[in-house]
Amino acid sequence: MGARRGEADEVVSAPGSAVDEPAVRERARAIPEAAVARLAVYLRVLSGMAEQSVTTVSSEELSAAAGVNSAKLRKDLSYIGSYGTRGVGYEVEVLVGQIERILGLTRKHSVCVVGIGNLGHALANYGGFPGRGFPVSALFDVDEDLIGVPVGGILVDHIEDIPRVCAEREVSIGVIATPPPAAQGVCDRLVSAGVQCILNFAPVVLQVPDHVEVRKVDLAVEMQILSFHVARRADEAAYADEGGMVVPG
Amino acid sequence: MGARRGEADEVVSAPGSAVDEPAVRERARAIPEAAVARLAVYLRVLSGMAEQSVTTVSSEELSAAAGVNSAKLRKDLSYIGSYGTRGVGYEVEVLVGQIERILGLTRKHSVCVVGIGNLGHALANYGGFPGRGFPVSALFDVDEDLIGVPVGGILVDHIEDIPRVCAEREVSIGVIATPPPAAQGVCDRLVSAGVQCILNFAPVVLQVPDHVEVRKVDLAVEMQILSFHVARRADEAAYADEGGMVVPG
DNA sequence: AGTCGCTTGTGAACGGATGCACAAAGTCGC
DNA sequence: GCGACTTTGTGCATCCGTTCACAAGCGACT
């Protein structure tokens, strides 16, 4: 992902001289993407614990609840600082606060949803967003029958108004839930409206400038990955049946 | 090089006695998970090309359309065999067929959706599934008002009937779109019904036996990852402005 | 045929993430 | 205060996936 930026033919110096790495570069922001995803999961688990008045948790307990191994959990947490107490564990409240800080959840992020079909409706009504600091503050579609209609308490605007409305409501995250052919156009509008992060549900590869972050959720791809595993299982079963496996003893 | 799958316990003979291992070679289904996900994307792009009567494509073109670099694309394709022609490229039809074969799409996979709320509705009506070999053939909920009601052409059954209905309709993939508290219970029912692959939209870490494959799609997590990037950007901008760094302890 | 240009397929280097194993650092009981 | 015990935080080895770079292979053109 974001590792590579800038123009290609810039840096390359001849090997041999001046190889001194400018140690200046790295700031603490070097959290692996995979770890960020897991931090979000830990946060959810921790929030649940906090609600049940759990005050302290060990890496072992938390990792079990999050479905990872404890060493990985500790390493992930170490990326954001040392907030544990050796011999005791982590204070739930502290961890929640720190993870929220790192994930940028102390600020609210306004979200807009584009494409108010089945999925768009579901997203607009999805309780998980506002509850976790992501107020859905704008909805867009092209269908004239939908414009002005409230969905989940928000009035639907026309796609043409994306730049104006997004600016007014300070939208920082755009969610695309349109049919595939419309996705790129919507994406371009969002980008020109200054939205820098996009969550794309349309089965399309979006072209965006370097400074825009895109994550995609493709249901068909997920299903196909599962299909692959179904097939692999079937193969393995057949293979085992045929006696390819040497069973000792 | 084929690093083998994790099965490991194979009979390892002395390095000198190199016997040919035809069965094992055929067994070399060691395709990285990440590559599988990309294959699904290539397949979508290729299908689009086929519809536009494109017959041949180079790794450069295809990789651009799929948003990856060409070396990675070639390596991904090499996992499934050598179906390209040097100096020319790949035949679209051939590639489509081979990827479908590897992903197990030559067989239909019946899907059931559990939890017919907003998201469940969206999934039941989602056109992308049946169009790609994933007929939704069963729906479940607990709400008595929904039982027997057709959604997307399928009647909703009660969750209690999961074992019977899934068996009857040979469901191989279960999709969980229930509220979080219900998810684990539903998951257990699916597992006991023999479903081996689960796509989980509930923000919960599911506990399943080893032989069951779970993929999760967590919208809140996706949003939080984006939030992290928003925050990181803001930090970078601030850092660039100040030109210095003081990290408070 | 021979050669030239193009594209695939892949060995090997690289880098990032994972898991292990242990020292450091704290608590608890006495 | 001290020693035993617990749990964190991390250096290190390992593994997996990505990227590079190039030989091998194919078609086209002379």
Side-chain angles (χ1 to χ4, degrees):
Chain A
M1 53 245 44
R4 186 156 164 40
R5 60 177 42 197
E7 307 312 320
D9 41 287
E10 192 150 353
V11 213
V12 186
S13 59
S17 70
V19 193
D20 312 344
E21 274 298 321
V24 203
R25 58 163 38 95
E26 281 311 317
R27 283 184 302 124
R29 285 289 164 270
I31 306 180
E33 181 90 5
V36 173
R38 286 190 298 267
L39 284 172
V41 174
Y42 305 153
L43 176 59
R44 193 181 63 218
V45 173
L46 286 164
S47 300
M49 288 177 169
E51 272 176 27
Q52 288 166 20
S53 308
V54 177
T55 58
T56 290
V57 66
S58 71
S59 64
E60 207 64 50
E61 295 165 331
L62 182 51
S63 67
V68 303
N69 95 24
S70 69
K72 195 190 299 192
L73 177 126
R74 287 198 300 275
K75 182 146 298 199
D76 287 344
L77 292 183
S78 78
Y79 290 127
I80 68 175
S82 289
Y83 301 106
T85 305
R86 296 175 190 227
V88 177
Y90 303 89
E91 230 177 299
V92 173
E93 291 293 343
V94 172
L95 228 43
V96 166
Q98 292 303 326
I99 295 179
E100 283 180 343
R101 177 178 61 80
I102 289 291
L103 294 183
L105 301 178
T106 49
R107 229 182 341 182
K108 294 274 182 202
H109 297 276
S110 280
V111 174
C112 76
V113 177
V114 189
I116 313 300
N118 280 310
L119 182 55
H121 263 90
L123 293 170
N125 289 310
Y126 186 53
F129 289 176
R132 296 195 167 278
F134 298 98
V136 175
S137 56
L139 303 175
F140 301 98
D141 205 302
V142 280
D143 185 349
E144 289 295 342
D145 293 345
L146 274 171
I147 312 297
V149 174
V151 175
I154 312 275
L155 299 186
V156 177
D157 286 300
H158 194 277
I159 280 187
E160 296 296 341
D161 294 328
I162 285 178
R164 180 177 56 78
V165 174
C166 284
E168 281 174 15
R169 305 184 193 171
E170 295 180 313
V171 168
S172 54
I173 297 178
V175 178
I176 299 179
T178 66
Q184 184 63 57
V186 164
C187 175
D188 294 344
R189 282 197 175 79
L190 288 172
V191 169
S192 68
V195 173
Q196 291 210 323
C197 290
I198 293 176
L199 182 57
N200 177 34
F201 285 88
V204 175
V205 179
L206 294 179
Q207 308 294 332
V208 295
D210 284 352
H211 64 91
V212 175
E213 184 83 19
V214 176
R215 291 190 63 84
K216 67 185 196 337
V217 176
D218 188 325
L219 302 181
V221 167
E222 295 296 330
M223 299 297 281
Q224 287 169 7
I225 294 170
L226 287 177
S227 168
F228 169 78
H229 289 293
V230 173
R232 191 169 53 76
R233 296 243 154 90
D235 281 2
E236 269 168 14
Y239 176 74
D241 282 352
E242 278 193 23
M245 299 234 298
V246 179
V247 182
Chain B
M1 274 297 263
R4 277 199 308 267
R5 229 178 80 66
E7 297 298 275
D9 277 349
E10 209 130 331
V11 186
V12 180
S13 44
S17 66
V19 198
D20 51 339
E21 325 168 343
V24 173
R25 175 152 165 60
E26 197 178 57
R27 195 83 288 286
R29 283 288 135 65
I31 306 181
E33 182 89 3
V36 173
R38 285 191 299 268
L39 283 171
V41 174
Y42 306 153
L43 176 59
R44 194 181 62 217
V45 173
L46 286 164
S47 300
M49 289 176 167
E51 271 176 28
Q52 288 166 20
S53 308
V54 177
T55 58
T56 290
V57 67
S58 71
S59 64
E60 208 64 49
E61 296 165 329
L62 182 52
S63 66
V68 303
N69 91 28
S70 68
K72 196 190 301 196
L73 177 126
R74 287 199 300 277
K75 172 113 7 193
D76 287 345
L77 292 183
S78 78
Y79 289 127
I80 69 174
S82 290
Y83 300 106
T85 305
R86 293 170 193 232
V88 179
Y90 302 89
E91 232 178 296
V92 173
E93 290 294 343
V94 172
L95 230 43
V96 167
Q98 292 303 325
I99 295 178
E100 284 181 341
R101 177 178 62 81
I102 289 291
L103 294 183
L105 302 178
T106 48
R107 231 183 338 183
K108 294 274 181 202
H109 298 276
S110 280
V111 174
C112 77
V113 177
V114 189
I116 312 301
N118 281 310
L119 182 56
H121 264 91
L123 294 170
N125 288 311
Y126 186 53
F129 289 175
R132 295 195 169 278
F134 297 99
V136 175
S137 55
L139 303 175
F140 301 98
D141 206 303
V142 280
D143 185 349
E144 290 295 341
D145 293 344
L146 275 171
I147 312 298
V149 174
V151 175
I154 312 274
L155 300 185
V156 178
D157 284 301
H158 194 277
I159 281 188
E160 295 296 341
D161 293 328
I162 284 178
R164 181 178 55 79
V165 175
C166 285
E168 281 174 15
R169 305 185 193 171
E170 296 181 314
V171 168
S172 54
I173 297 178
V175 178
I176 298 179
T178 66
Q184 182 64 55
V186 164
C187 174
D188 294 344
R189 281 198 176 79
L190 288 172
V191 169
S192 68
V195 173
Q196 293 211 321
C197 290
I198 292 176
L199 182 56
N200 178 33
F201 285 88
V204 176
V205 179
L206 294 178
Q207 308 295 333
V208 294
D210 284 351
H211 63 91
V212 175
E213 184 83 20
V214 175
R215 289 191 64 84
K216 68 183 194 341
V217 175
D218 188 324
L219 302 181
V221 168
E222 297 295 329
M223 299 296 281
Q224 289 170 6
I225 294 171
L226 287 177
S227 169
F228 169 78
H229 289 292
V230 173
R232 192 169 51 76
R233 296 240 156 91
D235 281 2
E236 269 168 15
Y239 178 75
D241 282 351
E242 286 200 14
M245 169 177 69
V246 176
V247 179

